[in-house]
């Protein structure tokens, strides 16, 4: 089969053998937002030459405004419920020689402000068997970081932090960005750690953000270190908010190495154990869901 992880800004396709092993993968910057109105052409071009008939898609491609709007499956839910919610796209979005199925998103209606995710559920599905029974806490960093609680094979809680998007907005469209370099410099560990520490002083995020401005005015850090300081502040506030409800519990990090590095460093600084898992789990999860659906 072919597993397609189609987010808002990126597209990844994996060619899998019968056992779910990745035998080839391809990437594109044609995310769901950039591909609007030409989804079939974009996908067809990316998987050209791959003869596998079954194609399973997940992510923002199934969101409102995507190729097809998939419903949300409510928490708690495991592989069985997610598989049952899959829908075939062929009637609405034909692609010659392939049968297209899309994975639903998930919704946590446990509080008044409903939380959701699309795409991350496939990564988690690929990890459920490994996690085993009991309660586990997962973090999937990104533009919108997802914090997920898994209990006895079911996803029971979702919490989203817009940390990555806020970082980008502040870097490009606020007074803070005027003192920073246009390029994205390498991580400055000392500045990042200082941001983590300052974020725990109890002054509140809004006050701490202005501290990035004064750090530039009084040359507390070099210009190239300021983005790392801002990153440390934002991630520090995110982690402390999430860890308050399960202090001392190890966290499973899922995603690309580049995204996980800062979170792993921050969690270690806060004394939290970490176990990393690759972003390719999305392909594993889609394979398991396809098998559960009988495809």
């Amino acid at each position: 089969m072919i597993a397609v992880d189609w987010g808002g800004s990126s597209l990844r396709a994996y060619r899998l053998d019968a056992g779910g092993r990745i035998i080839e993968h391809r990437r594109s910057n044609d995310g769901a937002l950039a591909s609007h109105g030409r989804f079939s052409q974009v996908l067809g071009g990316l998987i050209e030459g791959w003869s596998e008939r079954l194609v399973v898609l997940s992510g923002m491609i199934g969101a409102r405004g995507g190729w097809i709007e998939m419903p949300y499956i409510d928490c708690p839910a495991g592989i069985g419920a997610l598989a049952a919610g899959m829908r075939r796209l062929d009637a609405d979005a034909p692609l010659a020689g392939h049968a297209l199925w899309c994975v639903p998103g998930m919704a946590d209606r446990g509080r008044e402000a409903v939380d959701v995710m699309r795409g991350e559920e496939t990564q988690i599905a690929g990890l459920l068997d490994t996690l085993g029974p009991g309660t586990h806490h997962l973090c999937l960093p990104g533009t919108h970081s997802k914090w997920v609680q898994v209990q006895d094979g079911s996803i029971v809680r979702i919490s989203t932090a817009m940390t990555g998007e806020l970082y980008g907005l502040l870097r490009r469209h606020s007074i803070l960005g005027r003192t920073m370099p246009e390029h994205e410099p390498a991580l400055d560990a000392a500045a990042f750690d200082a941001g983590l520490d300052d974020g725990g002083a109890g002054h509140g995020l809004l006050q701490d953000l202005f501290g990035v401005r004064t750090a530039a005015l009084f040359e507390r850090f070099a210009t190239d270190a300021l983005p790392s300081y801002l990153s440390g502040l934002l991630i520090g506030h995110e982690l402390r908010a999430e860890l308050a409800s399960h202090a001392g519990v190890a966290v499973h990090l899922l995603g690309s190495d580049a995204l996980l590095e800062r979170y792993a460093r921050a969690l270690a600084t806060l004394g939290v154990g970490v176990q990393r898992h690759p972003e390719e789990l999305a392909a594993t999860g889609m394979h398991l869901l396809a098998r559960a659906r009988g495809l």
Side-chain angles (χ1 to χ4, degrees), residues 6-10 30-39 60-61 64-66:
W6 206 334
S9 58
S10 64
D30 288 312
L33 296 176
S35 302
H36 192 270
R38 55 189 187 96
F39 297 120
M60 294 303 292
I61 194 64
R64 184 171 300 176

Side-chain angles (χ1 to χ4, degrees), residues 262-281:
R262 297 187 184 205
Y263 279 75
R265 182 183 183 89
L267 285 164
T269 299
L270 296 175
V272 178
V274 170
Q275 187 170 346
R276 299 193 195 195
H277 305 276
E279 63 182 343
E280 287 79 11
L281 277 172

Side-chain angles (χ1 to χ4, degrees), residues 8 15 31 45 63 70 85 107 131 144 167 173-174 193 195 208 214 222 225 246 266:
R15 188 176 172 222
M70 292 292 294
L131 292 176
H144 297 163
Y167 174 82
H173 304 294
S174 80
D193 290 348
D208 284 342
T214 58
H246 48 272

Side-chain angles (χ1 to χ4, degrees), residues 193-205 208 232-233 236-237 240 270:
D193 290 348
L196 287 174
D197 289 341
D198 290 351
H203 297 142
L205 177 58
D208 284 342
L233 276 177
H237 275 276
R240 286 181 173 87
L270 296 175

Side-chain angles (χ1 to χ4, degrees), residues 7-64:
S9 58
S10 64
L11 167 59
R12 303 176 184 88
Y14 303 90
R15 188 176 172 222
L16 311 178
D17 66 14
R21 182 176 63 91
I22 298 172
I23 54 179
E24 189 177 352
H25 71 276
R26 297 173 182 173
R27 293 173 177 263
S28 167
N29 291 325
D30 288 312
L33 296 176
S35 302
H36 192 270
R38 55 189 187 96
F39 297 120
S40 183
Q41 297 94 314
V42 169
L43 181 59
L46 186 67
I47 66 173
E48 185 176 2
W50 290 0
S51 59
E52 290 76 12
R53 182 171 182 271
L54 176 61
V55 180
V56 177
L57 304 99
S58 71
M60 294 303 292
I61 194 64
R64 184 171 300 176

Side-chain angles (χ1 to χ4, degrees), residues 156-235:
V156 299
R157 177 182 175 270
I158 304 166
S159 178
T160 303
M162 295 179 62
T163 308
E165 182 165 354
L166 181 56
Y167 174 82
L169 288 170
L170 293 170
R171 279 279 279 125
R172 292 189 297 269
H173 304 294
S174 80
I175 193 171
L176 302 182
R178 297 180 188 178
T179 60
M180 299 181 188
E182 291 188 7
H183 67 281
E184 191 67 31
L187 178 69
D188 185 298
F192 181 81
D193 290 348
L196 287 174
D197 289 341
D198 290 351
H203 297 142
L205 177 58
L206 298 181
Q207 277 189 279
D208 284 342
L209 287 175
F210 192 74
V212 181
R213 169 68 171 164
T214 58
L217 289 174
F218 296 98
E219 299 180 346
R220 180 183 176 189
F221 302 108
T223 299
D224 276 4
L226 288 170
S228 295
Y229 179 63
L230 172 61
S231 178
L233 276 177
L234 293 173
I235 292 176

